Amino acid sequence: MGVKGKLIGSVEVKCGGHLVHDIFHSKTHHIPNICPGKINHFEIQEGENIKIGSVVSWKYNDDGKDKTCKQVIEAVDPQTKTVTWKVIGGDLLELYNSFTIITSCDHQWTTWTFVYEKKTEDIPEPLVLLGFVLHVTKDIEGHLLK
């Protein structure tokens, strides 16, 4: 059994958290156009939109490296503007036994929570990935403020 961890990062969004949530929940397919240098591709492989049970895949550039991520949507809460994405394939599972990403948005904040289990103690905390998703959030904010 690996080492479990939880990492949380929040970023202020002047456009309002509800608008960022709308992008992640119902307009996710726009993210590659909003963040072309970071997110190369997004596809819903099973299901429709971002709903519980939908399977999605991403191609992204993290720290100068092309990576992939396949996720199943575990939970969507429109009241708290939260989406829970469980990683089921891709580069993250080379380092982690399990990896869940939770996005939550409120008035002026977007919060990312990573819950994971590292395969070994030597695996670094996913700080680079946290910085990456916070930058993506700021790119989305910039797009929404235009």
Side-chain angles (χ1 to χ4, degrees):
M1 188 166 204
V3 178
K4 294 183 180 184
K6 185 176 190 177
L7 192 57
I8 301 170
S10 295
V11 64
E12 183 179 21
V13 287
K14 294 178 176 70
C15 61
H18 65 288
L19 294 175
V20 175
H21 174 74
D22 287 346
I23 295 285
F24 283 115
H25 180 244
S26 60
K27 299 175 184 163
T28 318
H29 59 283
H30 290 294
I31 295 176
N33 296 326
I34 296 169
C35 311
K38 296 178 181 90
I39 306 293
N40 303 321
H41 182 76
F42 171 80
E43 180 181 352
I44 298 173
Q45 295 186 324
E46 294 177 29
E48 45 186 86
N49 289 332
I50 302 300
K51 296 184 178 182
I52 295 172
S54 294
V55 175
V56 302
S57 65
W58 303 82
K59 291 182 182 176
Y60 62 101
N61 188 295
D62 179 20
D63 202 26
K65 298 176 185 125
D66 289 333
K67 298 191 176 181
T68 62
C69 185
K70 186 174 182 180
Q71 302 165 316
V72 64
I73 308 304
E74 287 195 322
V76 177
D77 187 336
Q79 300 292 359
T80 60
K81 298 185 179 5
T82 301
V83 180
T84 303
W85 322 67
K86 180 180 179 182
V87 177
I88 59 172
D91 294 282
L92 285 172
L93 294 184
E94 292 176 10
L95 303 173
Y96 303 93
N97 291 324
S98 64
F99 204 101
T100 300
I101 300 167
I102 303 162
T103 57
S104 59
C105 307
D106 61 23
H107 289 319
Q108 300 297 83
W109 294 91
T110 296
T111 301
W112 291 82
T113 303
F114 296 164
V115 180
Y116 53 90
E117 181 181 323
K118 299 191 261 181
K119 288 190 175 189
T120 67
E121 290 184 25
D122 304 0
I123 302 294
E125 305 305 322
L127 294 170
V128 172
L129 182 61
L130 182 63
F132 174 82
V133 297
L134 293 174
H135 284 288
V136 166
T137 304
K138 294 306 277 182
D139 287 352
I140 292 169
E141 174 195 39
H143 171 77
L144 291 169
L145 289 173
K146 286 183 186 176

